[in-house]
Amino acid sequence: QVLAWGLRGLRSGVRAPSLEVHCGGQTLRTPAIADLATNPNFPINALLLTLHLPAEEEYMPPIRLRVLDTRGFGYRPEVGQACVRDLGRYCCQPHSEGQPHGSGHPLPGPVSPLCSLQVLPRVTVEKRAVDKVVEEDEEDEDEDDWWSKFYAAMGDKTKSRQRTNRDRLKIYSCELEAVPEFEGLQDFCQTFPLYQPGRHPTVGEDPVGEFKGLFCVYPLPEDPGVPPPPRHFQELPPSRPQKCLVRVYIVRAFDLPPRDRSGLCDPYIRVSLGTKTLGQRDQYVPNTLEPIFGRLFELTGTIPLEKDLRVSLLDYDLLPPDQEIGTTTIDLENRLLSRFRAHCGLPTLYHTTGPSCWRDQLPPSQALEHFARNRGLPVPEFSAEGTAVTFGDNTFLLSHFESGPPTYRHPGAPRERLALHVLHACHLVPEHLETRTLYNSTQPGLEQGKVQMWVDIFPASLGPPGPPINIAPHKPQRYELRCVVWNTRDMDLRDINLLGQRMSDIYVTGWLDGLEEQRQRTDIHYRSLQGDGAFNWRFIFSFQYLAREQLCILPRKEHFWSLDETVLKVPPKLILQVWDNDKFSADDFLGVLELELTKLPQPAQDPQTCTPAPQGTPHWLWLRWGAQVTPPLSLFRQRQVRGWWPCTVQEGGKRRLSGKLELSLELLTAKEAEERPAGKGRGDPNMYPSLPAPMRPEWSFLWLQAPLRALRQGLWRHYRCRLSLGLALLLLLALLLTFIYAAPGYLAMKLVNPLEGLRL
């Protein structure tokens, strides 16, 4: 039996083609297609050809296909040919009386739509496990969107805000038609390429057209008095073309080949269906080999007249034409006709509104009825409450799939939820993301990267579809980090003053990782004799943060001649370094403190309990309170924290405690920062909080600026008794020396008395 569905892709000069099927000395000719431009399907689709074939499949002759055009004066030129070998794969058993015909193709047991209750225990266990998790941990659905499901399916729990896997997304690592359980989406009819007549096709030769059809080989009874079995291909969908709305979701691409001298490319998308093309040159993603697009394209087309959807990636150049990176082609007709319901994937849960709102044209109950009607199956019968349905010979209960009332928001009626569970039990195409390989005609056979996407097809005859899914990439939000350095304790002492005392001139520098141009430093606390420093100094860092990925966005130009910025993504990390200031040599490094804002270690409330974590513990476990290690916190959730953190230095391959820093960290959005202005350091506006001048010892100053004051603070403060005694002794010594010096002259004057002779 032959299912001759139609011809595709023939050249424009073909007028009214027909098909000839040759096998085992017999020939079958189909009626000609009257108008190939308006309806490329045959007027009669199901045909019967009686043959005498050997019982052994390996000895069965091939089927030869010839496409003939109808011209004037009876001229019938051959425009294409094909040869179908291995007829064993089309052998099946004839239908029995009362068996549903479906599409005519025998339904395999594992994917039969008449699912038995044997699949229910597995489904029930999965659903109940999900319900149990949901009962224990309610998630905030306001934060859920499609990207949460995407990152959850990728196994990245840090980027996904879903705490359960109840609303799942299936990611296929290949094309949807390459998934084994979906039989290449050619279960209704297969695609046979047609080649130039009169010669054997060569490897890599482009076909001149396609034949859409299917064969079914089954034995007939040998007794002529026995009526033949019912034919296959009885329940067929309408063969007339139908208008469809096509939604193409392009999520991302990766492993793209470089196209620019920088080793990167500037890809953008171009989607084509028939004569319609979408995609703009200026919507490119600059300087990347792994672009994230998050784009939705909506096109309308008439299937099968416009059945081939082409998705191309091109590299943007300043001067066109742009280079093509790669292209992938999707046969929309196969997806629309497949009994696996590949035109719109089934979501795990039924939502009436919200980010995961039902997007198909028919609700699940009507979709189940439509599925049964197209397959020649009895229409399902629901109970009045909608908690039970009879489908075929089986009865499905909602309690088999759900252990209790749904805990997620906007669940919909029980009838719709049960119908969705039954549809999933029929092994149809789920909500998915397929990974398609890109190819370039200039390099045939070589992969040019991959693109992750999916396609929804909505026939206009079924009504308007639901709202599209928003897959736009999340935009980074600008934040402002305010870090106040209050004090230091027990910092290493690297200098020795004139009196032999160990000391340091301490200052602190800070910046965000990747934003070294925002590096800031405090003033200097001079002559710290115990490693203590007082600063009351405010650092202010502005940055862009992508909350979904928990990364900072750093757009920058790699070279001054670069046209576009390259976007770098790094974790939000605050780096603080403590230095000893030296005037005539390089500054001495005292310690470093690195704080990742999403995994911030809990601070100590006093310097005595501030100790680093022991070796071998994770990097975020900094503090230890006895035997209990406190979990980290996220500054993006807590927004404000103050305490003591340890500074360390690397010595001999190990981290050593070199001091402690008292900090207060506050994170504000751009709007909050504008409403609560603050200056850097202790500059104006000195608010939120107001920072007074630090209370430093009297000897905390630079000795070159006031040497006498430095002597007073360095000598008199510590040696005033000795200096006083020394000065007294020096004065006595001066008096004694003066006496010794003046005594001989005084005695001589007494003895000679020269003034007495003058009086005489």
Side-chain angles (χ1 to χ4, degrees), residues 475-477 479 543-547 550-553 572 598 636:
K475 295 183 179 180
Q477 185 178 2
Y479 284 88
F543 63 97
Q544 297 184 40
Y545 179 70
L546 191 58
Q550 298 185 3
L551 296 174
C552 286
I553 305 301
T598 57
F636 293 91

Side-chain angles (χ1 to χ4, degrees), residues 604 606-612 623 625 644-647 657 659-661:
D606 53 79
Q608 289 76 20
T609 57
C610 179
T611 56
L623 306 178
W625 311 86
W644 291 85
W645 283 274
C647 289
L657 179 65
K660 303 161 187 178
L661 269 174

